[in-house]
């Protein structure tokens, strides 16, 4: 069977940040160039986004933004199936099946739940937030994905998808392919402006669509230590370097590292350099984004729905038969 590579992103903010981009989506794009024979699936994780976003207008608007960004950052829609799981009933159906085969304790150990808990009261969290990894497992297993490119924060969720696939296969016979997370160590956790993991919820992010003024303001906010200009600096401990290197060629990166270590580099200069590189990298993405219409992405989704629906329906039909839901 052809190798399948699948990932998806949540429309929970006005845009994607460079953590999403370098951590998950760029490795996915890179694979579309190197894995010539694989099939690629990229979904709009709006059913996940609904755990946080209940205003229909906003959810729709953010969803369209993500879809347009997929195209603007260089996803080739002729090579990658981009689709909307909310329009494919098998996602919700498999979610139901897997949630009945998963015990509460497993979900209680999940980072997504623990993170949400840390921000509020358990009783106020939605059940959808609690069993978010179950839906994610359904999203992955329906398509027999081999590889799931994600950031480090999603590793545990893909491991749960593996576990539940193995459990199902043991109990009902071989049904699901067991997926592997693909985490690129270099970009597993992209640093935010304050040195913590870059995240929409920490508001410490640089957005792919941030305009020049915002970019400059944010780069100026990157937290630094109190080393003097003359002092030698360890680039791997500097947030400006960690963020800036994402936009450099390997040669530029080597030259930068030398500059840090040699001493004589001010954080002001380091930030100006980072801003320039970032602006030049993001400008063509933003230009392309603004040229894509809502209609274009809606049409693209519609084109893919029947093929995706066919794959997902075949899998859920097999599952329903095996677990005894189908009576004929
Ligand atoms: P989400 O916004 O939760 O839908 O995340 C989409 C993808 O981006 C997932 O694969 C995450 O693991 C990845 N991601 C989010 N934040 C970061 C980060 N700071 N560093 C690396 N990957 C990230």
């Amino acid at each position: 069977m052809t190798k399948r590579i699948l990932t998806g992103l949540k429309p929970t903010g006005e845009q994607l940040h460079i953590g999403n981009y370098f951590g998950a989506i760029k490795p996915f794009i890179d694979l579309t160039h190197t894995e010539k024979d694989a099939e690629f699936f990229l979904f709009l994780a709006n059913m996940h986004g609904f755990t946080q976003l209940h205003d229909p207008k906003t959810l729709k608007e953010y969803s369209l933004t993500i879809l347009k960004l997929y195209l603007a950052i260089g996803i080739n829609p002729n090579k990658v199936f981009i689709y909307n799981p909310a329009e494919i009933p098998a996602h919700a159906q498999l979610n139901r099946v897997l949630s009945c085969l998963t015990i509460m304790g497993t979900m209680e150990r999940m980072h997504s739940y623990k993170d949400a808990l840390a921000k509020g009261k358990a009783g106020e969290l939605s059940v959808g937030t609690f069993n978010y990894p179950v839906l994610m497992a359904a999203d992955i297993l329906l398509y027999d994905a081999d590889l799931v490119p994600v950031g480090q924060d999603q590793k545990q969720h893909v491991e749960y998808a593996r576990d539940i696939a193995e459990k199902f296969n043991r109990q009902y016979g071989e049904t699901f392919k067991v997926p592997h997370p693909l985490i690129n160590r270099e970009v597993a956790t992209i640093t935010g402006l304050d040195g913590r993991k870059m995240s929409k919820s920490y508001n410490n992010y640089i957005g792919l669509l941030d305009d020049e003024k915002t970019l400059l303001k944010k780069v100026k906010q990157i937290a630094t230590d109190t080393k003097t200009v003359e002092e030698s600096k360890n680039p791997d401990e500097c947030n400006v370097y960690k963020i800036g290197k994402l936009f450099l060629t390997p040669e530029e990166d080597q030259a930068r590292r030398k500059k840090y270590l040699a001493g004589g580099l001010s954080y002001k200069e380091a930030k100006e350099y980072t801003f320039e590189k970032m602006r030049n990298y993001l400008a063509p993405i933003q230009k392309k984004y603004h040229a894509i219409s809502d209609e274009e992405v809606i049409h693209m989704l519609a084109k893919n729905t029947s093929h995706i629906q066919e794959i997902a329906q075949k899998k859920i039909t097999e599952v329903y038969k095996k677990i005894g839901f189908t009576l004929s």
Side-chain angles (χ1 to χ4, degrees):
M1 195 184 189
T2 317
K3 188 192 237 178
R4 286 185 171 168
I5 302 174
L6 174 149
T7 200
L9 291 103
K10 278 201 308 273
T12 46
E14 283 170 359
Q15 53 166 318
L16 295 176
H17 57 66
I18 61 169
N20 304 133
Y21 174 70
F22 286 104
I25 199 87
K26 184 161 181 301
F28 180 85
I29 297 176
D30 293 344
L31 287 170
T32 64
H33 298 303
T34 53
E35 297 278 343
K36 297 281 179 223
D37 299 324
E39 281 185 296
F40 292 90
F41 296 78
L42 178 60
F43 64 96
L44 166 71
N46 51 359
M47 289 170 80
H48 292 276
F50 190 56
T51 56
Q52 293 163 46
L53 262 187
H54 294 165
D55 172 49
K57 195 166 159 278
T58 313
L59 182 59
K60 209 171 145 184
E61 187 190 314
Y62 288 1
S63 298
L64 289 168
T65 299
I66 289 226
L67 293 167
K68 289 196 267 181
L69 268 172
Y70 283 166
L71 298 183
I73 58 182
I75 298 281
N76 177 353
N78 297 321
K79 211 167 185 180
V80 177
F81 292 112
I82 302 176
Y83 56 101
N84 176 5
E87 289 178 15
I88 316 282
H91 286 257
Q93 291 169 319
L94 187 58
N95 179 26
R96 173 67 186 164
V97 173
L98 299 182
S99 64
C100 294
L101 298 172
T102 302
I103 57 166
M104 297 278 288
T106 304
M107 285 301 106
E108 279 164 357
R109 285 192 293 277
M110 293 289 150
H111 295 314
S112 54
Y113 173 63
K114 286 189 184 165
D115 289 352
L117 256 193
K119 288 178 205 146
K121 298 190 190 96
E124 289 168 12
L125 278 184
S126 72
V127 176
T129 302
F130 180 68
N131 68 13
Y132 174 109
V134 182
L135 177 60
M136 183 164 154
D139 297 334
I140 297 170
L141 300 181
L142 270 179
Y143 300 95
D144 283 321
D146 296 85
L147 277 184
V148 186
V150 283
Q152 181 67 27
D153 57 349
Q154 294 290 344
K155 181 168 183 261
Q156 190 192 29
H157 297 161
V158 183
E159 279 166 358
Y160 158 72
R162 289 173 59 82
D163 293 345
I164 194 75
E166 282 168 350
K167 181 176 175 184
F168 191 99
N169 290 347
R170 269 196 309 275
Q171 199 164 338
Y172 297 103
E174 207 55 30
T175 308
F176 296 118
K177 176 139 331 150
V178 179
H180 292 271
L182 183 80
I183 298 170
N184 188 335
R185 210 163 47 88
E186 286 270 294
V187 289
T189 306
I190 303 296
T191 306
L193 303 177
D194 54 2
R196 291 185 291 172
K197 181 194 122 176
M198 185 172 285
S199 165
K200 283 170 208 157
S201 50
Y202 295 154
N203 200 16
N204 64 353
Y205 68 87
I206 288 172
L208 292 180
L209 296 177
D210 282 347
D211 62 24
E212 234 178 87
K213 211 168 130 210
T214 312
L215 282 181
L216 187 60
K217 193 170 133 219
K218 288 188 177 176
V219 171
K220 283 186 181 162
Q221 283 170 6
I222 300 175
T224 53
D225 59 25
T226 54
K227 283 209 170 91
T228 62
V229 175
E230 294 71 32
E231 276 179 274
S232 158
K233 300 171 183 71
N234 179 352
D236 298 317
E237 286 172 3
C238 174
N239 295 326
V240 184
Y241 169 78
K242 285 195 244 176
I243 295 174
K245 81 168 176 189
L246 298 164
F247 302 94
L248 303 184
T249 62
E251 297 73 32
E252 288 170 333
D253 183 35
Q254 281 315 311
R256 268 283 103 178
R257 293 186 69 85
K258 280 197 192 126
K259 255 183 173 283
Y260 268 82
L261 293 166
L265 175 74
S266 72
Y267 284 126
K268 182 168 178 289
E269 195 272 321
K271 286 184 175 183
E272 280 166 4
Y273 179 84
T274 294
F275 166 70
E276 283 301 323
K277 291 291 171 187
M278 197 180 270
R279 181 179 61 173
N280 293 343
Y281 192 102
L282 297 179
I285 293 178
Q286 297 182 356
K287 188 163 173 234
K288 205 165 161 201
Y289 171 84
H290 291 296
I292 301 167
S293 66
D294 292 354
E295 292 68 34
E296 189 177 332
V297 289
I298 291 169
H299 176 72
M300 171 185 74
L301 287 185
K303 220 171 69 188
N304 289 336
T305 305
S306 69
H307 178 66
I308 291 295
Q309 164 71 10
E310 199 181 308
I311 299 175
Q313 187 57 42
K314 193 164 164 230
K315 185 61 78 181
I316 196 68
T317 301
E318 184 186 351
V319 169
Y320 272 23
K321 273 196 186 132
K322 285 186 170 163
I323 63 176
F325 274 9
T326 308
L327 303 182
S328 55

